Amino acid sequence: MLKIGDFSKLSRVSIRMLRHYDEIGLLKPVWIDPESGYRYYAAEQLPIAGRISALKDMGFGLTAIGEILPCYLDREALDRHLRCKEAELQELSSQTAYRLRLLDTARKRLRKEDETMNYDVTIKTFPPRYAATVRKEIPSYEQEGMLWNILMEETAQMNIMPGDPCLCCAVFHDKEYREAQVDIEVQKDVKGRYPDTENVQFRTLPEVTAACATCKGSYEQMGAIYAAVAAWVAENGYTFDGPMFNIYHVSPHETSDPNEYVTEVCYPVKKI
């Protein structure tokens, strides 16, 4: 048998942690001296200590490790646990990467001393437009591309002529922010007349007057520009009058560089 100090050195697990493992039943000593209270371990327990350390390094908590250890030698069962943790860490990695991009964008903007972080807001009236449209509920705002894919796929064989100008817009019909199942309509101006398809409807869109601001760069600044337009509307005697929409002048369809995106944010308004 090995004294706890020797077992600690060989397993590279601190005595404090070995005592904790004992208390929670994760790795109990083979014998405890009733007089001195000293803990003793068997050399055969070293692989178990190694498994615990390996699972901890992968991100498993001690409760989960306690569930995994009994089936550690069952390859299929162990693989199920590892796959679940892998998926969890991939999701965490995606969230972390997104937050890092937000932080990087914010810091870059702070370093630009000449940047006022203000946006020029103007009132525009868009005349009636004839457009190919797709409106659906989709899982999230980030999956708007699903609608554009439907529009492109179902009109690919129709030789559609783009409008002049050709506005590509996304209209957000929900009356509040939604975390899931969002109601979005995409629109692309076209010339001529075309038959509807399964999901694409061709129709004339009504005239709309909107408060608009244009920004260049990634969509991560959308929150700031939304706030700027909303503040301008409140300060200049207007009120909102319909669902807001974005016009994509330069989108991911034209460039893979988010810094090159050009987006016009539009809030339909009317004078109070």
Side-chain angles (χ1 to χ4, degrees), residues 163-179:
D164 185 19
C166 181
L167 300 184
C168 293
C169 308
V171 183
F172 304 93
H173 288 283
D174 292 308
K175 294 182 179 180
E176 61 180 336
Y177 175 82
R178 297 176 63 89
E179 295 183 352

Side-chain angles (χ1 to χ4, degrees), residues 178-196:
R178 297 176 63 89
E179 295 183 352
Q181 294 307 112
V182 295
D183 183 1
I184 298 180
E185 178 182 5
V186 297
Q187 306 169 343
K188 179 179 180 179
D189 291 6
V190 298
K191 288 181 179 178
R193 290 295 184 267
Y194 307 91
D196 294 344

Side-chain angles (χ1 to χ4, degrees), residues 26-27 47-49 51-52 55 64-73:
L26 190 61
L27 179 60
I48 299 175
R51 293 166 189 168
I52 294 171
L55 291 168
I65 291 173
E67 297 172 357
I68 295 171
L69 285 178
C71 64
Y72 197 91
L73 298 179

Side-chain angles (χ1 to χ4, degrees), residues 88-101:
E88 177 187 324
L89 291 176
Q90 286 176 342
E91 175 62 23
L92 179 61
S93 176
S94 297
Q95 293 176 1
T96 300
Y98 172 68
R99 289 167 180 164
L100 286 171
R101 288 197 303 271

Side-chain angles (χ1 to χ4, degrees), residues 14-33:
S14 70
I15 291 176
R16 180 188 64 81
M17 189 57 67
L18 287 172
R19 288 174 176 159
H20 182 56
Y21 291 170
D22 180 16
E23 291 171 359
I24 65 176
L26 190 61
L27 179 60
K28 300 187 75 66
V30 294
W31 184 66
I32 299 177
D33 188 320

Side-chain angles (χ1 to χ4, degrees), residues 124 126 129 166-170 172 212-215 245-250 262-266:
K124 292 185 178 181
F126 297 91
R129 303 150 40 219
C166 181
L167 300 184
C168 293
C169 308
F172 304 93
C212 306
T214 301
C215 67
F245 57 96
N246 290 338
I247 302 174
Y248 303 116
H249 296 288
V250 180
V262 178
T263 310
E264 188 171 4
V265 172
C266 305

Side-chain angles (χ1 to χ4, degrees), residues 13-235:
V13 178
S14 70
I15 291 176
R16 180 188 64 81
M17 189 57 67
L18 287 172
R19 288 174 176 159
H20 182 56
Y21 291 170
D22 180 16
E23 291 171 359
I24 65 176
L26 190 61
L27 179 60
K28 300 187 75 66
V30 294
W31 184 66
I32 299 177
D33 188 320
E35 294 184 2
S36 65
Y38 290 164
R39 294 170 168 85
Y40 292 85
Y41 293 81
E44 292 78 13
Q45 291 178 290
L46 286 170
I48 299 175
R51 293 166 189 168
I52 294 171
S53 296
L55 291 168
K56 283 181 64 180
D57 289 343
M58 294 177 200
F60 288 99
L62 295 182
T63 300
I65 291 173
E67 297 172 357
I68 295 171
L69 285 178
C71 64
Y72 197 91
L73 298 179
D74 182 335
R75 291 190 175 187
E76 290 187 3
L78 177 60
D79 189 54
R80 285 196 297 271
H81 286 287
L82 298 181
R83 284 202 311 270
C84 288
K85 175 55 71 173
E86 183 179 38
E88 177 187 324
L89 291 176
Q90 286 176 342
E91 175 62 23
L92 179 61
S93 176
S94 297
Q95 293 176 1
T96 300
Y98 172 68
R99 289 167 180 164
L100 286 171
R101 288 197 303 271
L102 292 179
L103 287 167
D104 183 59
T105 298
R107 293 188 66 221
K108 284 179 179 177
R109 297 183 72 189
L110 285 174
R111 289 195 294 267
K112 293 180 180 178
E113 296 181 355
D114 59 340
E115 184 172 11
T116 63
M117 297 184 71
N118 291 324
Y119 299 94
D120 293 326
V121 180
T122 59
I123 292 292
K124 292 185 178 181
T125 296
F126 297 91
R129 303 150 40 219
Y130 187 68
T133 68
V134 177
R135 178 176 176 178
K136 285 183 177 294
E137 282 194 356
I138 57 176
S140 67
Y141 296 102
E142 291 75 17
Q143 293 173 280
E144 180 188 315
M146 295 170 56
L147 302 180
W148 290 108
N149 287 338
I150 291 172
L151 191 153
M152 295 304 173
E153 289 171 2
E154 295 193 9
T155 61
Q157 306 302 318
M158 301 174 70
N159 296 319
I160 288 178
M161 293 291 293
D164 185 19
C166 181
L167 300 184
C168 293
C169 308
V171 183
F172 304 93
H173 288 283
D174 292 308
K175 294 182 179 180
E176 61 180 336
Y177 175 82
R178 297 176 63 89
E179 295 183 352
Q181 294 307 112
V182 295
D183 183 1
I184 298 180
E185 178 182 5
V186 297
Q187 306 169 343
K188 179 179 180 179
D189 291 6
V190 298
K191 288 181 179 178
R193 290 295 184 267
Y194 307 91
D196 294 344
T197 67
E198 179 181 357
N199 294 290
V200 181
Q201 181 183 12
F202 293 87
R203 61 192 181 92
T204 299
L205 305 172
E207 178 180 281
V208 59
T209 297
C212 306
T214 301
C215 67
K216 181 178 181 180
S218 72
Y219 297 140
E220 288 153 1
Q221 62 184 306
M222 287 297 98
I225 194 169
Y226 292 158
V229 176
W232 187 94
V233 169
E235 293 168 0

